[in-house]
Amino acid sequence: MKQLLWFFGIATTVKLLLIPSYHSTDLEVHRHWLAITHSLPLSQWYYDETSEWTLDYPPFFAYFERFLSVFANLIDPRIVHLHHGLNYKANSAIYFQRISVIVSDLFLLYGVYISTRNLPSLKRNLVWVLVIWSPGLLIVDHLHFQYNGFLFGWLLLSISFLAQGKDLMGGFFFAVLLCFKHLFAVAAPVYFVYLLRHYCRGGLVRGFARLSAIGAVVVAVFAAAYGPFVYHGQIQQVIRRMFPFGRGLCHAYWAPNFWVFYIMLDKGIAFLLRKVGFNIPTPVASFTGGLVGDASPFAVLPRITPMATFIMVLLALSPCLFKTWRDPKPRLIARSVAYAYTCGFLFGWHVHEKASLHISIPLALVAVESLEDAKHYFLLSVVSCYSLFPLLYEAQEYPIKVLLLLLHTILMWFCFSALFPKNIATKGSLQDDKKSTQYESKGSSRTAAEEQRFELGWVAKSYLLGVVVVEIWGQFLHPYLLGDKLPFVPLMLISMYCAIGIMYSWIWQLKWIITFS
Amino acid sequence: MKKVVKDKLNDGEHGDPWWWLVQKGIKSSFICVSIFALLVRVAVGLHPYSGANNRPKFGDYEAQRHWMEITLNLPAKDWYRNSSVNDLSYWGLDYPPLTAYQSYIHGVFLKTFDPDSVGLFTSRGYESYLGKLLMRWTVLSSDVLIFFPAVLYFVLVYRSMRLGLGQNSDAAWHIAMILLNPCLILIDHGHFQYNCISLGLTIAAIAAALSQKDLVASVLYCLALNHKQMSAYFAPAFFSYLLGKCLKNKNPVLEVAKLGLIVVGTFAVVWWPYLHSKEAALAVLSRLAPFERGIYEDYVANFWCTSSVLVKWKKLYTTQSLRTFSLAATLLTCLPSMVQQVLAPSSKGFLYALLNSSFSFYLFSFQVHEKSVLLPLLPLTLLALEERQSLLWLTHFAMFSMFPLLHRDKLVLAYIALYALFILVYFAPGGPSGRCNGSKTRDHRQTTKRGMGFLSSIAFHPLVMGFLGLCSLILHVIYLTMRPPNKYPFLFEAVIMLICFSQFVLFTLYFNSKQWMLSKHLTSKDKQKKII
């Protein structure tokens, strides 16, 4: 525990140092939400259009902002002023909001603490390093600006309660989380199936009683969140604000998911057909901004609708749901949830690259379970962090993101090689490498007989080396060789390259879930 | 067999929670710590620099940039000369030639990416996003190229000498203590200076001296001296340690001559552009010794400034006589530690001598700046494993003494964060400061028992430390929140100065006696050996 606090303290000092760094418009978005919730009555929160940054998170988050706005008002009333506060960039506003994120990370601390309580001390340390010092979280929350650490705290709490068999608590926390940020709903099917099969079993009567219990809990949470808006008769407006399907298939910068390949395939075919002589009109609409009603952004391939992505996600998720239905195991819940987010990330509509954290944070809990997990996590974590690089496009933050990733990679390397040090077959050398032997036997007694030295295969190694190549190309060679021509290529390369890594991770997880018995 | 494993298991669990980080050896843990230290430096670089947006003179940042402008656009012989193109009253170059060369190299770097930032005349007061970034990167690269390798060199030498026994994690902690020293980071990457270069060269020189490469050490130390004249704070220690070693040699005259030649040679190479005439060399020299600036500036916690509350030195005496006073006082206070090293040069004694001579200079020499406290702090960080409590305490007061300066630079946030970081790393769970039954503390007690016990037991008594810590915390808060009375606009600075000065004096006494105890301890050991 002391060590966990220490890790957290170190992270906090770094976060404090990063306060003056670049922040995205999300800072203004959240500042405006503070203003909305503070100066308007609840009935107008989801109607306000003073700024283009309308409130589009679920009610609990709005309440959270209302809570923060009380303190903001004490510090500088202009922060929460609906009109005068617009684009308010004073130090008071920035410091207040940055520090509110840092403080709200205490939830993450608590979540990590609860979910690692029962691990042996070494593994616990490693999970702490992976989560508390996660470079992705630092980049997204403390540079780019968002409140993800706080939300992941709830997610980890929920997962750890499920893993300990406290299903009702797990369900409760997940429901709360959904009312904070609906993006987490991708894992809802897994939760639903799991709770139905694991919690609501044991005969018809008992099952039904439990079903009503968990139903009551969920309904109560949602009533607490949405009740006031139902009372005002605004529920449709709230939903409309929360699900802006008017946005395009991809975000402004393409998240490294399946659709990147689809788009590239479309472009490729169109290019080839044009070469052959067909008259293919260039699509006018873009993938990022296009409204649903407008023309298709694709030249050849059928256009993708939100419904199609929804079905794709469910399809990808179905093996996991099936497994969970047949045999709901508390041990596997972290994996299932991470898998659900992987599917949502790969096939979802308007996915943001920040969502890759949804995969890497829950998986950190199981990364220390076996050597295979560690290898997979190493790759995934690097890719997931690297895919966040385009978020910080200014020169000032360039060394920061590179050093963060580098430090994370080295720490992971040290962690995992300490956990999986040497071949146990050389038992005679016990005296020589005391440490390695001792920790091997402790690290994972279950499979102590196998060889388990943490080492990456040549495929993984060359893939990671490729990350360096892509980065060097995008940052240095491309501007140097091509100048301003094809300015989208570096970003596209990052998207595609990371998409390969995430696809691999998806397949690996899928395989794991299917073959596990 | 099983039992052995089990025992070791427990040992590993309770002995060293950091073994996963340090299992791959010192070099890998050094890489890890240094990347983190680099990250911290970059993050501090996001904060403002001294004199940002502060017309017309700006601050140290503008000084450094101006030097790049001058060195880049003028021939070397004009760098230190007042002329129509080089107005020495506007941040004239007043550091030795190595700084000028370094400015030239960095100027070339700046010119490649942002030519406007180093244009002659036109770039005065140039401030831009890119300009700041490039300047910050020049400090970072100096750190990476000079300070970090020097620290690695020192730690390896230190370990190989078995001066610091203990686990690998102790070495990692030691590295972190040197690399994450908050004062140095704040001054170099916040306030903006290149202390990392001269201090890095000094560390390398110390490491070379410790590993018996005296000639290399002399070259490196001369380079440090030629980068910042402030490195002269260490000169007595280097001089006496090397002299002491020469005297122990069979052929002392030859050894001294070799060292002398090396020193003269290094100086000649560095000063080459100014050696063609006496005037040129003297012109540079006069730039390096800005006596006209008075015996002290601002509120530095040294003897002259503190005692000026009672004795108005500046009014009573001429600059000329003050120069003599300060020189005499500095040399006198250096003398004990020098004598000790000449008589009995030893590795540990050398490190203490560095500490003592730099403290003497800080307290008594002419024209001392708040930032100069970095110099005494450096040898103490090198001694981190021996002087744990002093390190914590001195870092605290060094930070405190610079607080008004950093407050002016709008670096309070970085100050708080770095201070917290230092405290956290210092008290790392399972780190050396957490364990108190190590072999070294016993050693420590043995040496301190002989006479020093009383002083150190008072100085490090938890109550005393707690009281002073509380006082400084309250003073920080008062400084940030309250306005001083109109009659005494610098009241708070003066109080801070008084507190810090009192502590620095105690430290000087303590370290001086520690150094002498060391030789007594050694000689008594020798005697015992002889008897046996």
Side-chain angles (χ1 to χ4, degrees):
Chain A
M1 186 60 196
K2 201 176 156 199
Q3 197 144 11
L4 176 61
L5 281 177
W6 189 82
F7 283 132
F8 187 74
I10 295 279
T12 305
T13 56
V14 174
K15 291 168 191 170
L16 283 174
L17 284 176
L18 290 176
I19 284 182
S21 68
Y22 156 86
H23 52 79
S24 70
T25 46
D26 274 357
L27 188 93
E28 168 62 13
V29 173
H30 284 89
R31 192 214 52 74
H32 187 61
W33 292 356
L34 286 174
I36 290 178
T37 51
H38 191 265
S39 5
L40 293 176
L42 184 135
S43 57
Q44 286 172 41
W45 287 359
Y46 284 91
Y47 280 98
D48 177 77
E49 279 179 352
T50 319
S51 148
E52 60 176 315
W53 313 118
T54 55
L55 184 56
D56 59 6
Y57 271 30
F60 271 171
F61 202 84
Y63 301 154
F64 174 62
E65 295 276 10
R66 177 72 184 84
F67 170 73
L68 288 181
S69 72
V70 175
F71 302 100
N73 189 36
L74 292 177
I75 284 164
D76 181 359
R78 205 176 147 188
I79 301 176
V80 291
H81 197 283
L82 195 58
H83 300 286
H84 295 164
L86 283 179
N87 293 313
Y88 186 47
K89 283 276 158 60
N91 270 347
S92 61
I94 293 176
Y95 278 44
F96 173 77
Q97 289 189 267
R98 289 276 200 202
I99 290 175
S100 74
V101 181
I102 294 173
V103 173
S104 70
D105 272 352
L106 284 170
F107 279 86
L108 179 70
L109 178 75
Y110 185 66
V112 175
Y113 170 63
I114 292 294
S115 43
T116 53
R117 252 186 324 190
N118 300 323
L119 287 176
S121 84
L122 173 67
K123 288 188 174 181
R124 208 165 54 188
N125 269 352
L126 306 192
V127 174
W128 292 344
V129 169
L130 295 180
V131 177
I132 298 287
W133 287 354
S134 158
L137 268 182
L138 262 172
I139 288 177
V140 174
D141 277 11
H142 301 278
L143 289 158
H144 176 86
F145 194 83
Q146 271 193 348
Y147 287 91
N148 288 295
F150 162 72
L151 299 170
F152 278 116
W154 293 93
L155 181 67
L156 291 181
L157 269 182
S158 157
I159 290 177
S160 78
F161 277 123
L162 288 190
Q164 289 161 21
K166 297 175 187 159
D167 289 351
L168 204 57
M169 287 292 272
F172 167 74
F173 279 112
F174 188 67
V176 172
L177 178 66
L178 287 189
C179 295
F180 269 112
K181 193 170 179 180
H182 47 306
L183 220 68
F184 284 91
V186 183
V190 171
Y191 268 89
F192 178 74
V193 172
Y194 178 82
L195 287 176
L196 193 68
R197 292 291 294 171
H198 190 259
Y199 184 64
C200 312
R201 59 183 176 181
L204 200 63
V205 180
R206 187 157 169 246
F208 189 74
R210 288 193 147 192
L211 184 63
S212 357
I214 190 116
V217 165
V218 172
V219 168
V221 170
F222 275 79
Y226 294 91
F229 300 96
V230 174
Y231 171 77
H232 288 292
Q234 304 175 335
I235 197 69
Q236 276 190 323
Q237 170 69 11
V238 174
I239 304 276
R240 215 176 299 136
R241 280 280 165 90
M242 275 167 47
F243 296 96
F245 273 112
R247 297 183 189 172
L249 174 62
C250 297
H251 192 260
Y253 149 71
W254 309 345
N257 62 7
F258 175 76
W259 303 118
V260 173
F261 296 121
Y262 192 79
I263 291 167
M264 291 317 295
L265 189 68
D266 178 66
K267 297 221 174 210
I269 294 178
F271 178 77
L272 282 181
L273 289 182
R274 271 187 218 117
K275 278 263 165 169
V276 176
F278 286 92
N279 180 24
I280 307 284
T282 320
V284 216
S286 77
F287 306 103
T288 51
L291 286 166
V292 185
D294 290 354
S296 164
F298 294 100
V300 195
L301 294 177
R303 69 185 292 191
I304 304 298
T305 60
M307 200 48 170
T309 60
F310 183 68
I311 291 170
M312 288 277 285
V313 172
L314 270 187
L315 265 181
L317 198 50
S318 55
C320 172
L321 292 180
F322 182 68
K323 270 280 198 212
T324 315
W325 178 272
R326 276 233 325 245
D327 186 15
K329 276 204 173 77
R331 266 187 56 219
L332 299 186
I333 191 68
R335 288 172 194 280
S336 310
V337 170
Y339 178 73
Y341 288 129
T342 314
C343 296
F345 183 81
L346 272 181
F347 303 107
W349 178 263
H350 196 82
V351 172
H352 200 285
E353 64 275 13
K354 283 174 283 203
S356 66
L357 286 176
H358 291 67
I359 312 169
S360 60
I361 298 291
L363 268 184
L365 296 181
V366 291
V368 290
E369 272 186 12
S370 74
L371 181 63
E372 287 304 307
D373 280 311
K375 283 180 183 174
H376 164 248
Y377 190 79
F378 188 86
L379 201 73
L380 170 75
S381 184
V382 172
V383 171
S384 138
C385 175
Y386 180 62
S387 73
L388 298 172
F389 268 28
L391 278 182
L392 309 173
Y393 53 86
E394 289 194 21
Q396 184 176 240
E397 282 73 26
Y398 189 75
I400 296 181
K401 61 183 182 183
V402 172
L403 286 171
L404 275 175
L405 179 56
L406 207 59
L407 185 65
H408 181 64
T409 314
I410 290 184
L411 280 177
M412 271 202 296
W413 181 260
F414 285 180
C415 283
F416 289 141
S417 26
L419 193 56
F420 307 107
K422 280 266 157 64
N423 191 345
I424 193 90
T426 54
K427 263 195 176 170
S429 64
L430 191 80
Q431 299 300 326
D432 301 336
D433 8 13
K434 311 166 198 169
K435 295 247 149 119
S436 50
T437 326
Q438 106 199 10
Y439 283 99
E440 186 160 26
S441 48
K442 184 173 88 180
S444 45
S445 46
R446 261 188 303 119
T447 44
E450 300 161 24
E451 176 173 341
Q452 39 173 273
R453 186 180 152 76
F454 181 75
E455 233 175 16
L456 293 178
W458 64 272
V459 181
K461 266 186 197 154
S462 39
Y463 178 78
L464 291 179
L465 208 65
V467 170
V468 180
V469 174
V470 168
E471 181 60 18
I472 289 176
W473 170 263
Q475 282 297 325
F476 306 106
L477 296 181
H478 185 93
Y480 183 71
L481 295 176
L482 297 176
D484 292 339
K485 274 186 276 175
L486 308 172
F488 58 90
V489 166
L491 281 185
M492 201 187 67
L493 267 180
I494 296 180
S495 275
M496 284 186 56
Y497 201 77
C498 291
I500 297 173
I502 304 273
M503 285 291 270
Y504 160 77
S505 163
W506 173 60
I507 293 167
W508 185 90
Q509 291 183 53
L510 181 64
K511 205 176 113 198
W512 201 96
I513 284 171
I514 290 176
T515 53
F516 184 80
S517 55
Chain B
M1 192 73 164
K2 253 186 185 172
K3 208 184 164 192
V4 172
V5 173
K6 209 177 172 187
D7 283 344
K8 276 175 187 162
L9 260 166
N10 290 331
D11 186 23
E13 227 169 35
H14 302 295
D16 190 0
W18 292 105
W19 72 271
W20 60 269
L21 190 68
V22 295
Q23 42 141 4
K24 285 182 187 276
I26 293 186
K27 279 180 196 161
S28 359
S29 38
F30 176 81
I31 289 173
C32 202
V33 176
S34 60
I35 289 181
F36 180 71
L38 206 56
L39 178 69
V40 170
R41 281 163 164 77
V42 180
V44 173
L46 300 170
H47 294 253
Y49 45 81
S50 75
N53 300 316
N54 187 10
R55 288 182 182 282
K57 277 282 260 187
F58 303 93
D60 272 354
Y61 172 88
E62 170 64 9
Q64 300 284 351
R65 197 210 50 72
H66 179 67
W67 296 350
M68 294 180 197
E69 168 199 334
I70 291 295
T71 49
L72 191 68
N73 293 300
L74 300 178
K77 62 176 173 31
D78 289 340
W79 288 351
Y80 290 90
R81 226 173 43 189
N82 206 16
S83 65
S84 58
V85 279
N86 186 9
D87 176 13
L88 285 184
S89 64
Y90 183 82
W91 297 118
L93 191 52
D94 53 6
Y95 277 13
L98 202 60
T99 292
Y101 306 145
Q102 164 245 318
S103 296
Y104 175 78
I105 295 169
H106 286 154
V108 172
F109 170 73
L110 251 73
K111 197 181 178 185
T112 333
F113 294 99
D114 189 12
D116 290 347
S117 65
V118 283
L120 192 59
F121 281 127
T122 53
S123 64
R124 280 208 184 165
Y126 181 87
E127 288 180 306
S128 73
Y129 176 83
L130 185 63
K132 176 188 174 189
L133 207 59
L134 292 172
M135 291 283 279
R136 291 286 196 208
W137 286 356
T138 59
V139 190
L140 279 174
S141 60
S142 318
D143 239 333
V144 173
L145 292 176
I146 296 173
F147 192 73
F148 284 38
V151 172
L152 178 63
Y153 180 33
F154 173 80
V155 172
L156 290 176
V157 169
Y158 189 77
R159 288 282 288 183
S160 68
M161 291 175 59
R162 293 275 164 197
L163 276 176
L165 288 165
Q167 298 153 323
N168 268 358
S169 65
D170 284 2
W173 183 84
H174 192 188
I175 296 169
M177 280 293 112
I178 305 175
L179 290 184
L180 291 174
N181 176 358
C183 303
L184 180 60
I185 300 180
L186 277 171
I187 292 299
D188 273 11
H189 299 269
H191 178 85
F192 204 91
Q193 278 196 343
Y194 292 91
N195 292 299
C196 53
I197 299 183
S198 59
L199 294 183
L201 289 169
T202 310
I203 292 187
I206 295 170
L210 291 183
S211 55
Q212 313 307 330
K213 293 179 186 127
D214 293 353
L215 296 180
V216 181
S218 320
V219 172
L220 286 169
Y221 178 65
C222 287
L223 291 178
L225 202 54
N226 272 311
H227 187 265
K228 259 191 134 165
Q229 60 268 50
M230 229 160 63
S231 309
Y233 284 28
F234 298 125
F238 271 98
F239 175 76
S240 50
Y241 174 69
L242 293 178
L243 183 68
K245 277 207 314 198
C246 289
L247 292 179
K248 290 212 157 181
N249 209 288
K250 275 181 205 155
N251 213 339
V253 181
L254 182 71
E255 292 296 314
V256 173
K258 268 206 286 193
L259 285 180
L261 266 181
I262 274 285
V263 169
V264 171
T266 316
F267 266 86
V269 170
V270 175
W271 284 64
W272 187 250
Y274 309 100
L275 292 181
H276 58 272
S277 74
K278 202 178 154 195
E279 288 83 52
L282 282 179
V284 181
L285 261 184
S286 70
R287 289 293 309 156
L288 299 189
F291 287 118
E292 69 280 4
R293 280 167 76 178
I295 189 155
Y296 57 84
E297 266 180 7
D298 295 339
Y299 280 83
V300 55
N302 78 349
F303 171 75
W304 303 109
C305 193
T306 311
S307 57
S308 72
V309 176
L310 303 171
V311 187
K312 297 290 165 212
W313 299 105
K314 282 186 181 175
K315 281 182 192 155
L316 283 176
Y317 300 97
T318 59
T319 311
Q320 192 64 37
S321 44
L322 282 177
R323 256 161 71 179
T324 330
F325 288 173
S326 66
L327 184 68
T330 315
L331 285 183
L332 268 179
T333 44
C334 278
L335 214 56
S337 107
M338 283 177 76
V339 170
Q340 193 272 338
Q341 274 306 290
V342 174
L343 292 179
S346 69
S347 305
K348 229 179 226 179
F350 174 47
L351 290 173
Y352 278 102
L354 288 164
L355 196 52
N356 289 324
S357 72
S358 50
F359 250 131
S360 301
F361 271 82
Y362 179 80
L363 290 177
F364 295 105
S365 74
F366 202 85
Q367 240 290 310
V368 173
H369 202 275
E370 291 102 310
K371 286 167 282 195
S372 309
V373 77
L374 288 178
L375 288 116
L377 203 52
L378 182 82
L380 189 60
T381 55
L382 300 183
L383 277 167
L385 285 171
E386 339 258 325
E387 289 287 347
R388 281 174 216 153
Q389 276 184 314
S390 324
L391 174 67
L392 176 66
W393 212 219
L394 183 63
T395 309
H396 172 78
F397 284 105
M399 287 285 273
F400 193 29
S401 72
M402 292 196 301
F403 182 66
L405 171 81
L406 296 168
H407 180 256
R408 265 204 307 279
D409 293 343
K410 300 189 181 68
L411 287 169
V412 176
L413 178 67
Y415 177 91
I416 296 170
L418 279 181
Y419 191 71
L421 181 67
F422 172 76
I423 295 291
L424 278 168
V425 175
Y426 182 86
F427 287 110
S433 61
R435 280 177 277 116
C436 43
N437 51 351
S439 57
K440 225 156 300 112
T441 33
R442 237 182 292 131
D443 213 41
H444 179 83
R445 261 181 227 138
Q446 266 180 14
T447 43
T448 45
K449 250 178 200 170
R450 300 163 193 240
M452 275 313 295
F454 184 65
L455 189 61
S456 71
S457 73
I458 286 192
F460 293 135
H461 193 276
L463 268 178
V464 178
M465 286 181 86
F467 174 72
L468 281 170
L470 193 69
C471 277
S472 39
L473 182 71
I474 293 170
L475 262 175
H476 276 118
V477 175
I478 288 178
Y479 192 92
L480 285 176
T481 51
M482 281 164 58
R483 280 172 160 275
N486 282 336
K487 213 173 154 193
Y488 305 105
F490 296 106
L491 177 70
F492 300 152
E493 279 88 348
V495 174
I496 291 177
M497 174 187 78
L498 276 171
I499 292 183
C500 293
F501 175 69
S502 67
Q503 293 300 311
F504 292 157
V505 169
L506 279 179
F507 270 117
T508 316
L509 292 175
Y510 171 71
F511 290 133
N512 264 300
S513 40
K514 197 84 189 278
Q515 190 186 339
W516 275 91
M517 290 305 150
L518 213 64
S519 70
K520 256 189 199 165
H521 191 60
L522 280 178
T523 43
S524 61
K525 252 188 186 172
D526 286 347
K527 273 178 199 163
Q528 276 177 359
K529 265 183 196 169
K530 272 176 194 167
I531 292 165
I532 290 165

